[in-house]
Amino acid sequence: MKFAHWVPNVSGGLVVSKIPQRTDWGLQYNIKLAKIAESVGFEYALTQIRFMGSYGAEYQHDSLIFSTALLAHTESINIVTGILPGMFHPGVIAKHAATADQIFNGRWAINVVSGWYRREYDVLGVPWLEHDERYVRSQEFIEILRGAWSEDDFSYAGKYWQIDGYTLKPKPLVIPGRPMPEIFQGGNSAAAQRMAASVSDWYFMNGNSLAGFKEQITNVSKLAAAKGRTVKFIANAFVIARETEAEAKSELDRIVHSADTEAVENFRVAVKEAGQATKDGKGMWAKSTSRDLVQYNDGFKTNLIGTPEQIAERIYEMQKIGVDAVLCGFLHFHDETRFFGERVIPLVRELEAANSVKKTATG
């Protein structure tokens, strides 16, 4: 199991709540956080992509520039940069990516966000596409990235972009087991799953139950296998690890009780297009309650709330159904990232080792 953390590069932390948080959206705070994370066993950090304030997140740093700043101050952690295809040209991002990958020794990755916040698009005059079309555009975006990263004189004739003889030099590093930068992507809908199966390396899943995760993993894996591909899976979770289960549950109650109800409602309205408006009704946030949306990627649903032992057991159960990584959000990032790394990750490793020994013994 691999571990990632959200980068709080937008104000308000990872919960839409007025509860006091020792988390900050500034660069120096996040540099320290990334150093803590890589020192205690985290392999990835994910920057958020925002152009305008929303649901309590009044201030935002640009994900691309912020990611490179974090890479410049770290040694081993991979930084996953959020990118909106509607706002960026894939040829330009391919160039940014190749430069970042060369400079920072293959630690740059991309999270292609197909878009849910329509107001950003409307304000900037960028066309807002129907839900499934946004995933068509995103798939083209990724196909162009892969082409530009691997071919000279690359051309592409798509619905949304046309490339004619593009040669990118230098290209990203070629690393054993990673021929080009890793591409992450989220979404719950059928369109999102088809895209992941076709072009993405990692499929992000909003917080969910074990059964919910298993359904998505089964569906995407089946679609990918039909194309001769495999996809890895990363699950979102808001982690509340405390010495006792009662302490952890009490903290969750305080977060929910202090929710910014106006901001949560505004977010619920904004994401309706991303979930309930899909043809199959299974998009992101389609069945999220107001309580779920206090953590805006359904992080409470994953239930990594309790003692280190309870959380490690639940993570191991997730691993057994095919989850490859956990994306962690915390209330107080510095303190809780360190606590998670020192108290939870070693327990997960013990469970993995014990299972490996058991498998060896049974032949």
Side-chain angles (χ1 to χ4, degrees):
M1 179 67 77
K2 296 184 181 297
F3 295 96
H5 74 84
W6 284 96
V7 175
N9 58 302
V10 304
S11 61
L14 267 289
V15 288
V16 190
S17 176
K18 297 177 182 178
I19 191 171
Q21 303 182 59
R22 296 190 299 276
T23 290
D24 187 86
W25 63 289
L27 178 60
Q28 293 308 313
Y29 180 93
N30 275 282
I31 289 172
K32 184 175 180 180
L33 171 59
K35 290 181 176 181
I36 291 170
E38 69 179 358
S39 73
V40 297
F42 283 74
E43 291 94 347
Y44 294 92
L46 172 70
T47 58
Q48 302 174 68
I49 176 71
R50 296 284 184 279
F51 285 89
M52 293 177 58
S54 60
Y55 58 90
E58 184 178 0
Y59 299 98
Q60 326 83 35
H61 283 305
D62 172 69
S63 60
L64 186 62
I65 293 175
F66 208 78
S67 293
T68 55
L70 296 179
L71 285 164
H73 288 87
T74 53
E75 297 179 359
S76 62
I77 198 165
N78 299 280
I79 307 297
V80 186
T81 300
I83 294 293
L84 278 168
M87 302 291 186
F88 295 98
H89 191 287
V92 175
I93 293 300
K95 186 67 173 180
H96 288 322
T99 298
D101 203 61
Q102 287 276 341
I103 292 173
F104 301 113
N105 198 30
R107 293 188 293 121
W108 187 91
I110 184 173
N111 178 33
V112 176
V113 181
S114 294
W116 60 266
Y117 190 30
R118 179 170 183 166
R119 186 162 179 263
E120 290 181 326
Y121 286 74
D122 290 345
V123 166
L124 295 174
V126 178
W128 178 252
L129 306 179
E130 180 272 331
H131 177 275
D132 286 11
E133 282 298 305
R134 296 201 294 276
Y135 285 95
V136 172
R137 177 173 61 188
S138 291
Q139 180 163 333
E140 287 191 5
F141 192 95
I142 293 173
E143 289 170 347
I144 292 168
L145 290 180
R146 293 194 184 282
W149 288 340
S150 60
E151 301 176 26
D152 287 342
D153 198 31
F154 173 70
S155 296
Y156 186 91
K159 186 174 182 179
Y160 295 101
W161 286 286
Q162 290 75 45
I163 309 294
D164 185 14
Y166 184 38
T167 297
L168 179 68
K169 291 185 178 180
K171 292 177 172 54
L173 298 174
V174 176
I175 298 171
R178 196 225 71 165
M180 60 184 70
E182 292 182 293
I183 295 176
F184 292 70
Q185 169 230 322
N188 285 6
S189 66
Q193 294 186 10
R194 289 193 299 269
M195 172 184 155
S198 298
V199 294
S200 299
D201 298 308
W202 287 87
Y203 179 66
F204 270 125
M205 300 179 290
N206 266 11
N208 213 325
S209 63
L210 280 176
F213 287 138
K214 188 173 182 179
E215 179 183 1
Q216 291 179 73
I217 291 168
T218 299
N219 290 346
V220 175
S221 296
K222 183 177 180 180
L223 291 169
K227 298 177 179 294
R229 303 186 70 248
T230 59
V231 178
K232 290 177 283 190
F233 298 90
I234 180 167
N236 181 60
F238 190 81
V239 180
I240 306 177
R242 300 292 185 269
E243 296 293 354
T244 69
E245 184 179 15
E247 287 179 88
K249 289 185 174 180
S250 178
E251 188 79 286
L252 175 61
D253 289 342
R254 284 194 293 270
I255 292 170
V256 174
H257 181 74
S258 302
D260 185 336
T261 53
E262 181 180 356
V264 170
E265 175 60 18
N266 289 340
F267 178 57
R268 188 192 66 78
V269 172
V271 299
K272 182 178 180 181
E273 165 65 20
Q276 295 170 345
T278 58
K279 295 174 182 177
D280 56 8
K282 293 184 179 181
M284 293 175 70
W285 305 290
K287 297 181 180 179
S288 301
T289 66
S290 293
R291 183 180 186 278
D292 294 330
L293 294 177
V294 175
Q295 202 295 302
Y296 42 82
N297 283 94
D298 288 339
F300 301 150
K301 288 184 178 181
T302 309
N303 195 29
L304 297 191
I305 298 164
T307 65
E309 292 77 13
Q310 289 172 322
I311 291 171
E313 288 281 357
R314 290 166 190 161
I315 290 171
Y316 185 60
E317 291 301 311
M318 292 165 63
Q319 186 177 24
K320 288 198 293 186
I321 65 166
V323 176
D324 299 289
V326 179
L327 174 62
C328 301
F330 301 98
L331 187 65
H332 311 300
F333 264 87
H334 283 180
D335 301 336
E336 297 188 51
T337 299
R338 186 178 298 280
F339 186 84
F340 185 91
E342 293 176 349
R343 296 288 300 279
V344 177
I345 293 179
L347 295 176
V348 175
R349 300 298 178 229
E350 288 177 11
L351 290 168
E352 291 172 335
N355 185 63
S356 178
V357 170
K358 183 178 179 181
K359 285 183 177 179
T360 301
T362 57

